[in-house]
């Protein structure tokens, strides 16, 4: 299992990014919030971009924003593996997926817990990643929504049925117990379970 570490709940981002850099974590999950798509807001890109000097891991960018187009060129500048935005943004989804691809970066769509899986169907041929939210997007440290277990299975069926190459990433409330409910995925994104612990590597090992 690949692991992506979210630092949204970090109280000292430079220190925690340096610590993560010493582990074998696969990606650094970057949560971006605009205060519109979700109530909270992350720091502006001008500040955000300085913190990436503390890591040489590839970034897994999760845009929780109304207007992904504004953010895609900024995050395409960094050491980015995936840029994912939400299917609930509705507008210009194909255009935004193509924009991500134009930078040679893998593109993804995220779905909130209440959004039906079938909303992904029109975009499946374009997708490199599907991010299944197992909490309401907006903040770290929430409990895994149990229904997400069926949702992950449903997304796996869809990906297989359409012969899609998309990887499945599950995000929200992932720990050593809830990971067992997501065995059909390819990547687990975990925040507080790793960041709030004494040994980041030990927690990462527990998730794999
Ligand atoms: C929630 C974010 C998640 C979150 C994961 O809005 O998208 O990436 O930071 O953190 P935990 O593992 O604490 O739920
Ligand atoms: Zn996230």
């Amino acid at each position: 299992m690949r692991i992506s570490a979210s630092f949204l709940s970090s109280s000292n981002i430079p220190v925690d990014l340096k610590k993560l850099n010493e582990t074998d974590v696969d990606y650094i999950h970057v949560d971006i919030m605009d205060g519109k798509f979700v109530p909270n807001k992350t720091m502006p890109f001008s500040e955000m971009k300085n913190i990436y000097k503390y890591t040489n891991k590839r970034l897994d960018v999760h845009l929780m924003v109304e207007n992904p187009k504004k953010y895609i060129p900024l995050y395409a500048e960094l050491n980015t593996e995936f840029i994912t935005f939400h299917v609930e943004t509705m507008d210009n989804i194909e255009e935004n997926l193509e924009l991500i691809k134009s930078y040679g970066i893998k593109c993804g769509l995220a779905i909130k817990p209440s959004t039906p899986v079938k909303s992904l169907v029109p975009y499946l041929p374009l997708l490199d990643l599907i991010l299944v939210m197992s909490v309401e997007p907006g903040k770290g440290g929430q409990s895994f929504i149990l229904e997400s277990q069926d949702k992950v299975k449903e997304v796996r069926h869809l990906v297989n049925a359409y012969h899609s190459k998309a990887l499945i990433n599950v995000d929200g409330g992932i720990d050593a117990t809830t990971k067992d409910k997501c065995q059909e995925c390819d990547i687990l994104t975990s925040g507080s379970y790793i960041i709030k612990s004494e040994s980041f590597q030990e927690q990462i090992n527990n998730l794999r």
Side-chain angles (χ1 to χ4, degrees):
M1 185 69 77
R2 289 187 229 177
I3 309 295
S4 190
S6 159
F7 59 89
L8 190 60
S9 302
S10 168
S11 44
N12 191 333
I13 297 173
V15 167
D16 286 342
L17 283 182
K18 278 188 227 164
K19 279 166 72 180
L20 281 169
N21 208 40
E22 287 156 19
T23 70
D24 66 5
V25 80
D26 298 278
Y27 310 107
I28 301 297
H29 183 87
V30 180
D31 288 304
I32 306 298
M33 306 187 283
D34 63 354
K36 292 182 214 151
F37 186 79
V38 289
N40 289 333
K41 202 170 175 173
T42 33
M43 60 179 118
F45 182 75
S46 52
E47 287 170 49
M48 199 82 178
K49 91 185 236 205
N50 296 320
I51 62 181
Y52 301 114
K53 59 177 184 246
Y54 299 108
T55 183
N56 45 34
K57 300 278 184 189
R58 300 281 285 165
L59 306 180
D60 161 30
V61 177
H62 176 195
L63 298 176
M64 290 172 272
V65 302
E66 263 183 4
N67 184 5
K69 199 175 182 170
K70 212 172 96 184
Y71 297 81
I72 292 165
L74 303 175
Y75 286 90
E77 249 182 59
L78 305 175
N79 182 23
T80 302
E81 179 86 5
F82 305 103
I83 300 181
T84 298
F85 62 92
H86 273 261
V87 69
E88 298 85 5
T89 53
M90 299 308 272
D91 282 342
N92 305 318
I93 289 187
E94 281 189 22
E95 204 182 293
N96 287 333
L97 292 171
E98 293 292 1
L99 179 62
I100 296 169
K101 283 178 181 288
S102 75
Y103 292 101
I105 292 172
K106 295 180 181 128
C107 66
L109 275 180
I111 49 169
K112 290 191 200 180
S114 55
T115 303
V117 166
K118 67 174 190 301
S119 62
L120 295 167
V121 170
Y123 314 106
L124 275 178
L126 288 170
L127 295 181
D128 299 301
L129 184 93
I130 296 170
L131 184 70
V132 180
M133 291 300 304
S134 40
V135 297
E136 280 305 325
K139 54 179 194 290
Q142 304 181 78
S143 304
F144 181 87
I145 297 173
L146 280 175
E147 289 78 13
S148 312
Q149 182 167 8
D150 293 335
K151 189 124 186 210
V152 176
K153 285 199 175 88
E154 213 187 316
V155 173
R156 170 54 68 202
H157 282 137
L158 189 80
V159 164
N160 291 351
Y162 282 79
H163 305 289
S164 160
K165 63 178 182 310
L167 297 171
I168 303 174
N169 187 350
V170 186
D171 181 17
I174 299 294
D175 60 26
T177 310
T178 55
K179 63 139 196 194
D180 291 335
K181 306 185 186 308
C182 314
Q183 286 308 301
E184 297 82 4
C185 73
D186 303 287
I187 307 173
L188 287 170
T189 294
S190 180
S192 22
Y193 176 70
I194 298 173
I195 296 294
K196 303 280 186 201
S197 75
E198 290 296 313
S199 164
F200 290 4
Q201 185 63 61
E202 216 170 283
Q203 304 296 85
I204 292 162
N205 294 345
N206 294 341
L207 293 173
R208 283 203 196 277

